[in-house]
């Protein structure tokens, strides 16, 4: 074996040259790897003893993708297209031998090889779209030539990797070889190719899969329509579709040129920068500054959930889905039966959609033990309380748990707002207590705020983060404060939304502006969905807010067919003339002179105070990093990922602009807009949240 460079080795096995890329951890396409490929191939081509070349990777994976850390920097050394040209134009058959993942640029390298073999567990795909990009090294031109434009568009627009078996069925992979015997299998394939004098197959020359779609623009009109809704607000997907259409309509050289140009354009776009920020933020969020990665965690074998209401049921499902047994406790048989019924129905709905078998439904329900006494939680390693949002009730439960739970058990509360330290103080073991704040619906939403109490032990926090990962959540560490990170910032937006509809906007104006910004829905549509009567009582109501008045008129949201909006039988919302009148009358009774409010003001009034609150949260150390706040909002509230989250978005706007607007609002409307010290400081220093 001889070294080609620090990332590649070449050896000769009989008459087959084996070019091994070895660049841990994932053989990403760094400058050195690109050089190693080009030089290795050229060397093997020049060696008369070699009749075919196997391109294989050491370690756990084939070339997993681009080296994202090089994105946005000037190209150094050999470009990816140069390395690919060396392979594609090689006079000897080059066989890609794939294990692990061949994604993005890695897959595009495999696509210029003349043949591809893979082990069944390998995954291939073009995930660039998830970073706000399109494939930039021929993926959009070669994949359609192999599998047709429809299937290629699906793969490129979803960015979801596909299995080697699927790739074999499509003809993307020529042969599956036995798991763990990739090298032998690839060598055998190469020898067979030499023996049969097999042709050098260049994907670029294939026309059979794209020809039938040529001159049929309706195919792409249809694809655009089918993908528009789920890609609302995103830019890259239409460019990807255009590129696939180019693969059908244009000679490949032209298609490659256009693809590269679109890729380069997107690379410097704000959306792609934002999505790359999120990619790194999702990896960073798991790290807790003062807790070592190797901190011993506590074994979690059985979970207890207290309360089988909206949240308790969803929380329990997360653990059942991960195969962990759960004991769920309620106060009365009726509530328990209802809670279990909802869980069962959720699973049955999933099964009806074909995403779960009946046997799986039963096995998950089989892991669930119902109980009416907290004493049933004595053998649980983690207990999560999800009862009413009432400090008295929670303290009583934790005091009882202190007597029941086994030593070392992790005791968590799902409270949305309450003080975890006060809850912890009702036990003799505050070190074991923390918040685990799930978002509704708890079996669906990815965010989990892990709330660190003043006395929470480090292994307890490490355990919570680990279990979050195990159940497929994104765990974000937050500190104790009213509403933690997410709801604390949400309160700012809610307050302004309520003020705006009295000052001159209508609920549907506010909702439209926030929806157009990219949020899944505005605050009033959200209230209607959740129910306006959360926390409202018929006995105590006093017509003192719009919400109270609506509840009094039995407009309690979608469930009653009316709230801020009117709803038809299909639950389509329509602005309500009645609500408009209620708002106008209410404003008049308060002596408010309504005025025209611009969309720009709505946006700034709702979102800048959130950013400002985020800055306060950072100042107080209630979040570790600005990017954690972005993760909270993207995963807990559907903040549009292509803006990078509220803090990254504000950085992009320019914090000076945010500060100036806040000061303007403060002068006009007072305290609610008082800029945080951190915001002032960052602007004075010409820095952003990203520089903290
Ligand atoms: P819920 O009213 O739907 O459910 C609470 C359940 O707890 C009820 O079924 C009740 O019977 C049961 N319960 C009350 N006291 C109990 C006791 N002593 N022992 C056992 N069970 C008892 O309420 P929810 O919406 O599920 O909220 C529960 C908690 O989760 C609250 O602290 C809330 O703030 C928090 N939370 C709610 C949401 C949400 O969107 N609903 C989101 C995040 C967090």
């Amino acid at each position: 074996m001889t070294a080609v460079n620090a990332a590649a080795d070449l050896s000769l096995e009989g008459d087959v040259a084996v070019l091994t890329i070895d660049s841990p951890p994932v053989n990403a396409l760094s400058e050195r790897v690109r050089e190693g490929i080009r030089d290795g191939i050229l060397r093997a081509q020049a060696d008369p003893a070699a009749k075919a070349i196997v391109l294989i990777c050491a370690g756990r994976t084939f070339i997993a993708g681009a080296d994202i850390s090089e994105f946005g920097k000037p190209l150094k050394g050999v470009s990816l297209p140069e390395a690919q040209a060396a392979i594609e134009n090689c006079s000897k058959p080059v066989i890609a031998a794939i294990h692990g993942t061949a994604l993005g640029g890695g897959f595009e390298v495999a696509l210029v090889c003349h043949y591809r073999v893979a082990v069944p567990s390998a995954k291939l795909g073009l995930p660039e779209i998830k970073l706000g990009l399109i494939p930039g090294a021929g993926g959009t031109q070669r994949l359609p030539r192999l599998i047709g434009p429809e299937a290629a568009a699906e793969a490129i627009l979803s960015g979801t990797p596909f299995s080697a078996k699927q790739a074999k069925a499509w003809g993307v992979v020529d042969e599956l070889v036995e798991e763990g015997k990739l090298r032998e299998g690839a060598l055998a394939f190469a020898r067979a190719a030499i023996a049969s004098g097999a042709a050098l197959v260049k994907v670029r020359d294939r026309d059979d899969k794209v020809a039938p779609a040529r001159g049929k623009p309706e195919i792409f009109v249809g694809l655009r329509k089918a993908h528009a809704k789920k890609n609302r607000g995103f830019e890259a997907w239409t460019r990807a579709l255009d590129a696939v259409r180019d693969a059908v309509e244009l000679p490949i050289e032209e298609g490659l040129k256009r693809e590269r140009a679109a890729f380069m354009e997107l690379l410097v776009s704000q959306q792609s920068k934002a999505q790359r920020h999120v990619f790194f933020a999702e990896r960073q969020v798991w790290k807790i500054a003062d807790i070592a990665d190797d901190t011993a965690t506590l074994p979690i074998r059985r979970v207890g959930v207290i309360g089988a209401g909206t949240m308790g049921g969803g929380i329990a499902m997360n653990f059942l889905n991960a195969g962990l047994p759960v004991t769920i406790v309620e106060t009365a048989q009726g509530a328990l039966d209802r809670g279990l019924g909802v869980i069962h129905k959720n699973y049955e709905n999933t099964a009806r959609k074909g995403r779960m078998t009946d046997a799986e439904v039963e096995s998950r329900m089989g892991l669930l033990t119902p109980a009416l006494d907290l004493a049933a939680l004595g053998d649980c390693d983690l207990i999560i309380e999800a009862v009413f949002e009432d400090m008295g009730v929670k303290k009583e439960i934790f005091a009882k748990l202190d007597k029941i739970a086994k030593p070392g058990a992790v005791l968590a509360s799902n409270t949305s707002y309450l003080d975890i330290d006060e809850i912890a103080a009702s036990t003799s073991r505050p070190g074991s207590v923390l918040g685990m704040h799930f978002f509704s619906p708890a079996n669906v939403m990815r965010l989990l705020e892990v709330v660190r109490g003043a006395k929470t032990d480090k292994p307890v926090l490490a355990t919570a983060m680990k279990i979050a990962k195990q159940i497929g959540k994104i765990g974000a560490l937050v500190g104790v404060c009213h509403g933690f990170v997410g709801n604390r910032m949400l309160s700012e937006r809610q307050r302004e939304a309520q003020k705006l509809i009295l000052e001159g906007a209508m609920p549907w104006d506010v909702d439209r502006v926030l929806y157009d910004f990219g949020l899944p829905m505005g605050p009033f549509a959200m209230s209607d969905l959740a129910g306006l009567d959360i926390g409202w009582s018929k006995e105590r109501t006093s017509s003192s807010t719009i919400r109270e008045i609506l509840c009094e008129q039995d407009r309690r949201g979608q469930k009653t067919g009316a709230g801020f909006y009117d709803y038809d039988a299909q639950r389509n919302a329509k602005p309500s003339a009645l609500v408009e009148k209620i708002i106008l009358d209410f404003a008049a009774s308060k002596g408010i002179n309504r005025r025209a409010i611009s969309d720009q003001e709505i946006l700034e009034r709702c979102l800048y105070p959130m950013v400002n609150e985020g800055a306060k949260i950072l100042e107080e150390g209630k979040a570790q990093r600005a990017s954690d706040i972005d993760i909270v909002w993207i995963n807990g509230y559907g903040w549009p990922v292509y803006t990078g989250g509220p803090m990254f978005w504000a950085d992009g706007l320019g914090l000076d602009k945010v500060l100036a607007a806040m000061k303007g609002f403060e002068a006009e409307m007072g305290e609610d807009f008082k800029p945080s010290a951190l915001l002032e400081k960052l602007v004075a220093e010409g820095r952003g949240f990203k520089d903290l």
Side-chain angles (χ1 to χ4, degrees), residues 240-547:
L241 265 185
D242 290 348
V244 174
R245 189 200 54 212
D246 290 347
V248 173
E249 301 292 346
L250 300 176
I252 188 154
E253 274 316 318
E254 186 60 23
L256 286 172
K257 224 185 278 164
R258 289 197 189 203
E259 178 205 68
R260 192 80 189 157
F263 171 80
M264 297 308 278
E265 220 178 279
L266 290 167
L267 198 54
V268 294
S269 71
Q270 188 60 23
Q271 283 205 351
S272 177
K273 283 182 197 156
Q275 288 182 254
R276 268 137 52 199
H277 158 76
V278 175
F279 178 88
F280 288 114
E282 279 188 6
R283 278 148 189 80
Q284 253 211 320
V285 73
W286 296 102
K287 299 195 191 318
I288 303 179
D290 63 335
I291 301 183
D293 286 344
D294 58 358
T295 301
T297 55
L298 309 159
I300 305 293
R301 297 191 192 91
R302 174 171 277 280
V303 178
V305 175
I306 309 174
T310 310
M311 294 305 289
I315 292 170
M317 287 176 73
N318 286 302
F319 296 99
L320 300 176
N321 295 346
L324 282 166
V326 175
T327 303
I328 191 160
V329 183
E330 259 292 347
T331 45
Q333 192 63 47
L336 192 57
D337 291 344
R338 250 193 321 278
L340 255 59
V342 171
I343 296 175
H344 199 190
K345 204 165 134 213
N346 275 335
Y347 281 137
E348 281 182 333
N349 287 342
T350 310
R352 195 159 334 114
K353 289 177 196 147
R355 293 204 301 259
M356 197 186 247
T357 64
D358 291 343
E360 279 167 332
V361 174
E362 289 323 307
S363 79
R364 280 177 211 196
M365 289 308 292
L367 286 171
L368 185 59
T369 308
L372 288 171
D373 189 347
L374 290 178
L377 301 175
D379 61 347
C380 293
D381 307 291
L382 163 66
I383 301 172
I384 303 173
E385 165 276 313
V387 306
F388 308 130
E389 187 77 340
D390 180 304
M391 184 56 98
V393 178
K394 300 218 190 239
K395 278 164 89 168
E396 198 185 312
I397 287 180
F398 274 78
K400 281 189 192 150
L401 277 184
D402 195 22
K403 310 238 154 42
I404 291 164
K406 65 184 188 189
V410 175
L411 308 181
S413 172
N414 181 49
T415 178
S416 304
Y417 293 95
L418 300 174
D419 184 341
I420 294 294
D421 293 328
E422 195 179 336
I423 294 173
S426 62
T427 72
S428 65
R429 38 174 139 170
S432 296
V433 179
L434 82 172
M436 287 178 76
H437 183 216
F438 291 80
F439 286 68
S440 182
N443 54 320
V444 176
M445 298 300 287
R446 276 184 85 202
L447 181 64
L448 177 64
E449 284 184 331
V450 173
V451 191
R452 180 177 201 162
K455 296 189 176 159
T456 312
D457 291 336
K458 291 178 180 180
V460 171
L461 286 170
T463 303
M465 293 303 260
K466 187 175 167 197
I467 201 88
K469 201 173 248 178
Q470 198 181 331
I471 61 175
K473 301 286 177 203
I474 293 199
L477 188 75
V478 302
V480 176
C481 55
H482 189 72
F484 313 119
V485 168
N487 284 342
R488 177 170 162 180
M489 287 166 69
L490 180 69
S491 304
E492 296 290 306
R493 185 186 90 180
Q494 299 302 80
R495 183 195 64 226
E496 288 311 309
Q498 296 298 336
K499 279 159 58 183
L500 283 162
I501 63 170
L502 295 184
E503 290 170 31
M506 280 293 150
W508 30 97
D509 299 323
V510 176
D511 282 354
R512 172 180 44 79
V513 169
L514 292 176
Y515 178 81
D516 287 348
F517 175 75
L519 284 154
M521 63 181 89
F524 298 101
M526 194 168 119
S527 296
D528 275 1
L529 181 66
L532 300 189
D533 54 355
I534 298 179
W536 175 79
S537 110
K538 213 173 191 153
E539 291 70 40
R540 294 194 305 272
T541 188
S542 59
S543 310
S544 65
T545 61
I546 302 283
R547 186 176 71 106

Side-chain angles (χ1 to χ4, degrees), residues 170-217:
W170 270 332
V172 170
V173 158
D174 299 284
E175 196 167 286
L176 289 177
V177 303
E178 197 183 324
E179 204 68 54
K181 299 223 164 115
L182 180 61
R183 190 185 171 89
E184 295 89 320
L187 282 170
F189 186 93
R191 287 189 183 116
I194 297 168
S196 69
L200 295 179
V201 183
K202 292 187 189 178
V203 175
R204 63 158 60 219
D205 296 335
R206 291 272 301 268
D207 193 50
D208 54 313
K209 288 282 169 31
V210 285
R214 198 160 295 142
K216 292 188 184 140

